[in-house]
C-alpha cells in the first residue's frame, strides 16, 4: 500500500526518475498539492485523468522551474505576461498562453493554449529542477483530488482521497500544510488584454498595480474554454450553505469575531482572510470526517483574497 514519503534530497531524485519513467508523484506547492506526471508522456498523463476520475477535455497546468522555460511550451508571450511572470513567479499564478507543438492535445484538452506555472515552494522547485536535469520539460499537475472534490492542502489528505487509486510505484511527497490553501490565480494571456479566469492569491488589484494594460475578470470575453470553472466544484460531501448561522449539529465556518451558534460544530474561526484561505479546505474535510450533513459558512466580504475565498465557497455550495 502506498504511503507518504518524507522529504530528503534522495527522495527528490527518486521522484524525478519516477516521473521520467511514467509514474505519478503527488507533491506540495504553496497553493494546494498537485498530482504530477511527465507533461510529454501521454500514458502517464492519462493516468492523472484516471486517478482523478477527471474528464479528458479538462486541460492541465504544466509546472516549470522558471520563466526561462516558458519558451519550451508557449509560442508567443505578450509583454504584460512577462511582466507578471517577473513579478509573481515563483508564486500562485498560472498564465494561459498560445501553445507550441510541445503542448499536445492530451495536455491542453485540444485547445490552442497552454497553462504554465512556476510554483513558489522549495520542494516543488527542487523536484522540477531535478526532473529538468534528466531531460524533463515540465510536470503536468492538477490538484491532487478526485474530480469535483475539495483540493488537498496536506499530504495526509492526498493519501486519504487518492491512496487507493495510486499504484505502489507512485509517490506522495510530505511537505506539510500548504501556506496559501487556495488554487492559483489563472490569467488568460492569449490576447492583447489579460482576463482573470480563476481568482487566487495574486489578486486583480495586484495585477492592476503591475501592468499598464487593462485587466478584467469578465469570463464572457475570453475565447479560452474553461472547463471546471462553471459547474459545482471544490465540494465536500456535506451540503455547504452560505451566509446563515448553523443549526445545532451542523458545521459552522466564519471569521473569529462571529460566535458559534449554540450546538453547532465550529470547524474554522480564522482571524484574517489569509487564515481563512489556508484553512478552508481542511475545515470542509473535517466536516466530512465528522459525517456532518450540513456546513453553514459566513463568507468574508471585501476585495483581495476574499474574492478567491468567495469563488471557491460559492462553487462548493452549488
Ligand atoms: O494552484 C494550482 O493551480 C494547482 C497546483 C497544483 O498548481 N493546480 C490546479 O490545477 O488547481 P487544476 O487542474 O485542478 O485546475 C486548473 C484549471 C482547470 O480548471 C483547467 O480547466 C484550467 O486550469 N486550465 C488549465 N489549462 C488551461 C488552458 N490551456 N486553458 C484554459 N483553462 C485551463
Ligand atoms: Mg482542481
Amino acid at each position: 500500500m502506498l504511503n507518504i514519503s518524507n522529504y530528503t534530497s534522495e527522495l527528490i531524485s527518486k521522484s524525478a526518475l519516477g516521473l521520467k519513467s511514467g509514474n505519478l508523484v503527488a507533491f506540495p506547492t504553496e497553493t494546494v498539492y498537485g498530482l504530477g506526471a511527465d507533461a510529454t508522456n501521454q500514458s502517464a498523463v492519462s493516468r492523472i485523468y484516471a486517478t482523478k476520475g477527471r474528464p479528458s477535455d479538462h486541460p492541465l497546468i504544466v509546472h516549470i522551474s522558471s520563466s526561462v522555460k516558458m519558451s519550451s511550451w508557449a509560442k508567443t508571450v505578450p509583454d504584460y505576461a512577462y511582466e507578471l511572470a517577473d513579478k509573481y513567479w515563483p508564486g500562485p499564478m498560472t498564465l494561459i498562453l498560445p501553445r507550441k507543438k510541445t503542448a499536445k492535445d492530451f495536455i491542453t484538452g485540444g485547445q490552442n493554449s497552454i497553462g504554465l506555472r512556476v510554483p513558489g515552494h522549495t520542494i516543488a522547485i527542487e523536484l522540477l529542477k531535478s526532473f529538468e536535469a534528466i531531460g524533463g520539460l515540465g510536470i503536468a499537475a492538477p490538484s491532487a483530488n478526485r474530480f469535483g472534490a475539495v483540493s488537498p492542502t496536506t499530504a495526509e489528505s492526498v493519501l486519504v482521497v487518492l491512496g487507493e487509486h495510486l499504484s505502489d510505484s507512485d509517490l506522495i511527497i510530505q511537505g506539510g500544510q500548504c501556506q496559501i490553501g487556495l488554487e492559483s490565480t489563472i490569467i488568460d494571456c492569449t490576447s492583447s488584454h489579460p482576463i482573470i479566469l480563476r481568482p487566487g492569491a495574486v489578486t486583480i488589484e495586484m495585477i492592476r498595480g503591475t501592468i499598464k494594460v487593462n485587466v478584467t475578470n469578465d469570463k464572457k470575453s475570453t475565447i479560452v474554454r474553461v472547463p471546471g470553472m462553471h459547474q459545482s466544484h471544490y465540494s465536500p460531501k456535506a451540503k455547504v450553505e452560505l451566509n446563515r448561522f448553523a443549526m445545532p449539529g451542523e458545521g459552522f465556518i466564519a471569521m473569529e469575531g462571529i460566535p458559534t451558534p449554540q450546538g453547532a460544530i465550529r470547524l474554522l474561526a480564522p482571524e484574517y482572510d489569509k487564515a481563512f484561505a489556508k484553512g478552508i479546505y481542511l475545515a470542509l474535510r473535517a466536516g466530512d470526517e465528522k459525517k456532518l450533513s450540513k456546513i453553514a459558512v459566513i463568507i468574508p466580504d471585501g476585495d483581495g483574497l476574499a474574492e478567491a475565498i468567495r469563488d471557491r465557497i460559492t462553487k462548493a455550495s452549488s
Side-chain angles (χ1 to χ4, degrees), residues 194-217:
I195 305 162
I196 299 175
L197 304 178
R198 180 173 73 182
V202 172
T203 64
I204 193 163
E205 295 82 8
M206 291 160 69
I207 297 167
R208 286 201 174 119
T210 306
I211 54 175
K212 289 190 193 75
V213 295
N214 188 42
V215 56
T216 68
N217 50 16

Side-chain angles (χ1 to χ4, degrees), residues 27 29 31-35 52 54 58-61 63 92 94 96-97 107-108 111 113-115 117 119 141-145 151 182-186 197-198 224-229 233-234:
F27 61 97
T29 81
T31 58
V32 299
Y33 275 73
L35 179 63
K52 281 186 60 96
R54 174 170 170 149
H58 282 223
L60 298 176
I61 297 171
H63 296 69
T94 297
I96 308 290
L97 294 157
I107 288 289
T108 70
Q111 301 200 77
S113 60
I114 179 74
R117 179 161 109 83
S143 51
N145 51 276
S151 297
L182 294 179
E183 305 80 357
S184 62
T185 306
I186 300 183
L197 304 178
R198 180 173 73 182
V224 168
R225 194 173 45 84
V226 275
M229 303 270 176
H233 228 81
Y234 315 108

Side-chain angles (χ1 to χ4, degrees), residues 122-139:
T122 48
I123 293 179
I125 292 291
E126 259 193 63
L127 178 63
L128 283 161
K129 285 190 174 153
S130 180
F131 183 58
E132 288 166 2
I134 53 172
L137 282 183
I139 301 177

Side-chain angles (χ1 to χ4, degrees), residues 146-215:
R146 295 283 288 170
F147 179 65
V150 178
S151 297
T153 52
T154 63
E156 290 75 14
S157 301
V158 178
L159 183 64
V160 168
V161 295
L162 295 186
E164 60 176 316
H165 303 282
L166 291 167
S167 76
D168 285 346
S169 42
D170 299 327
L171 288 164
I172 301 173
I173 303 177
Q174 176 62 271
Q177 187 177 358
C178 301
Q179 280 306 313
I180 292 178
L182 294 179
E183 305 80 357
S184 62
T185 306
I186 300 183
I187 310 169
D188 171 9
C189 301
T190 60
S191 58
S192 57
H193 295 269
I195 305 162
I196 299 175
L197 304 178
R198 180 173 73 182
V202 172
T203 64
I204 193 163
E205 295 82 8
M206 291 160 69
I207 297 167
R208 286 201 174 119
T210 306
I211 54 175
K212 289 190 193 75
V213 295
N214 188 42
V215 56

Side-chain angles (χ1 to χ4, degrees), residues 36-312:
D38 177 351
T40 62
N41 179 335
Q42 182 163 15
S43 68
V45 169
S46 71
R47 283 202 53 226
I48 289 184
Y49 286 92
T51 305
K52 281 186 60 96
R54 174 170 170 149
S56 61
D57 64 345
H58 282 223
L60 298 176
I61 297 171
V62 173
H63 296 69
I64 50 178
S65 68
S66 90
S67 56
V68 175
K69 310 281 176 188
M70 268 198 277
S71 56
S72 306
W73 296 93
K75 196 163 67 179
T76 50
V77 181
D79 286 344
Y80 70 78
Y82 276 120
E83 288 163 24
L84 289 172
D86 280 347
K87 180 92 179 175
Y88 299 113
W89 277 350
M93 176 183 77
T94 297
L95 302 179
I96 308 290
L97 294 157
R99 72 166 162 180
K100 260 193 171 167
K101 288 202 184 80
T102 336
K104 298 280 173 10
D105 284 349
F106 62 79
I107 288 289
T108 70
Q111 301 200 77
N112 276 324
S113 60
I114 179 74
L116 296 177
R117 179 161 109 83
V118 179
H121 193 292
T122 48
I123 293 179
I125 292 291
E126 259 193 63
L127 178 63
L128 283 161
K129 285 190 174 153
S130 180
F131 183 58
E132 288 166 2
I134 53 172
L137 282 183
I139 301 177
S143 51
N145 51 276
R146 295 283 288 170
F147 179 65
V150 178
S151 297
T153 52
T154 63
E156 290 75 14
S157 301
V158 178
L159 183 64
V160 168
V161 295
L162 295 186
E164 60 176 316
H165 303 282
L166 291 167
S167 76
D168 285 346
S169 42
D170 299 327
L171 288 164
I172 301 173
I173 303 177
Q174 176 62 271
Q177 187 177 358
C178 301
Q179 280 306 313
I180 292 178
L182 294 179
E183 305 80 357
S184 62
T185 306
I186 300 183
I187 310 169
D188 171 9
C189 301
T190 60
S191 58
S192 57
H193 295 269
I195 305 162
I196 299 175
L197 304 178
R198 180 173 73 182
V202 172
T203 64
I204 193 163
E205 295 82 8
M206 291 160 69
I207 297 167
R208 286 201 174 119
T210 306
I211 54 175
K212 289 190 193 75
V213 295
N214 188 42
V215 56
T216 68
N217 50 16
D218 176 17
K219 292 187 201 81
K220 282 184 223 80
S221 60
T222 182
I223 55 157
V224 168
R225 194 173 45 84
V226 275
M229 303 270 176
H230 301 297
Q231 67 269 54
S232 108
H233 228 81
Y234 315 108
S235 307
K237 290 193 189 82
K239 198 166 178 326
V240 175
E241 295 188 351
L242 302 187
N243 292 338
R244 68 162 177 82
F245 282 92
M247 307 296 284
E250 292 180 353
F252 187 57
I253 294 173
M255 296 303 272
E256 192 187 36
I258 304 172
T260 309
Q262 208 172 13
I265 296 128
R266 188 65 172 250
L267 298 169
L268 190 68
E271 201 177 344
Y272 304 107
D273 287 351
K274 264 192 179 171
F276 202 122
K278 183 175 176 182
I280 183 65
Y281 288 152
L282 264 188
L284 294 175
R285 282 179 196 288
D288 280 349
E289 274 155 28
K290 294 180 198 299
K291 304 219 171 354
L292 304 181
S293 59
K294 283 186 183 171
I295 302 173
V297 185
I298 303 207
I299 48 181
D301 47 29
D303 50 18
L305 193 55
E307 195 199 335
I309 299 171
R310 284 196 297 276
D311 173 74
R312 304 307 192 282

